[in-house]
Amino acid sequence: MLRVGLGLDGHLFEEGKKLVLGGVEIPAPFGLKGHSDGDALLHALTDAILGALGEPDIGELFPDEDPRFKGTPSSLFLQEALKRAKAKGYRLVNADCVVVTDRPKLSPYKELIRENLARLLGVEKERVNLKAKRREGFCREEGLFCQCVVLLAADE
Ligand code: MG
């Protein structure tokens, strides 16, 4: 059995906050606004896995108003999604992710982020792909967007 999942997330920039994307800290004068560490890439990836499983989404499982998740590393959300996948007998075939932003320039960090995503997912790097795209003038430069697609497989 194969199941595909899609996750999309956007966060506004916040001056002075640590920027974390895909669990990697990236030098920048701003981070991403959010109740947790604001890691929109891990949020999109988590939602893609949850979506493939037909589970509730990240906002339902980890509500913004819950003080337990304030400032929490978003890898915690991904771990929960992976736990649910494992409980249903699914493993990750591959994940393909896109980050849309003009700043900071992500090319120096793409490999690092990809390696960290693979580590967090518990798969080899070849199963994870990451693309960085520019806004090309669309929307205001006030934040960034991430989109992830995952394929999960289970033995019948
Ligand atoms: Mg989010």
Side-chain angles (χ1 to χ4, degrees):
M1 173 74 143
L2 294 173
R3 295 187 71 119
V4 69
L6 171 67
L8 174 70
D9 198 32
H11 280 235
L12 292 171
F13 294 137
E14 182 179 310
E15 299 298 321
K17 191 176 175 182
K18 213 165 59 172
L19 178 62
V20 185
L21 259 187
V24 174
E25 202 177 319
I26 296 170
F30 53 84
L32 296 172
K33 207 172 238 175
H35 186 61
S36 63
D37 63 3
D39 192 332
L41 181 52
L42 287 191
H43 296 179
L45 184 57
T46 301
D47 251 351
I49 294 170
L50 291 170
L53 294 169
E55 294 280 323
D57 69 28
I58 194 170
E60 292 172 78
L61 293 179
F62 306 102
D64 270 3
E65 57 271 18
D66 191 328
R68 283 181 302 163
F69 307 125
K70 186 162 168 54
T72 198
S74 295
S75 54
L76 183 114
F77 309 146
L78 183 62
Q79 278 163 16
E80 176 61 26
L82 291 171
K83 201 173 88 185
R84 288 173 184 239
K86 198 175 173 192
K88 287 185 167 176
Y90 281 93
R91 64 184 186 281
L92 183 87
V93 177
N94 73 306
D96 190 16
C97 300
V98 189
V99 180
V100 183
T101 190
D102 285 0
R103 60 186 176 122
K105 201 169 166 4
L106 289 181
S107 48
Y109 305 102
K110 263 176 65 180
E111 262 327 277
L112 209 59
I113 296 172
R114 189 181 171 203
E115 280 164 17
N116 199 51
L117 292 178
R119 184 185 65 81
L120 292 170
L121 291 164
V123 298
E124 57 272 37
K125 198 174 78 172
E126 288 62 36
R127 289 179 185 266
V128 181
N129 193 42
L130 177 68
K131 298 184 283 290
K133 306 286 285 183
R134 295 184 157 275
R135 275 182 319 123
E136 305 293 354
F138 285 103
C139 62
R140 285 160 66 178
E141 198 183 0
E142 295 178 334
L144 58 75
F145 276 94
C146 301
Q147 190 170 34
C148 295
V149 173
V150 300
L151 186 66
L152 305 182
D155 300 322
E156 293 292 335

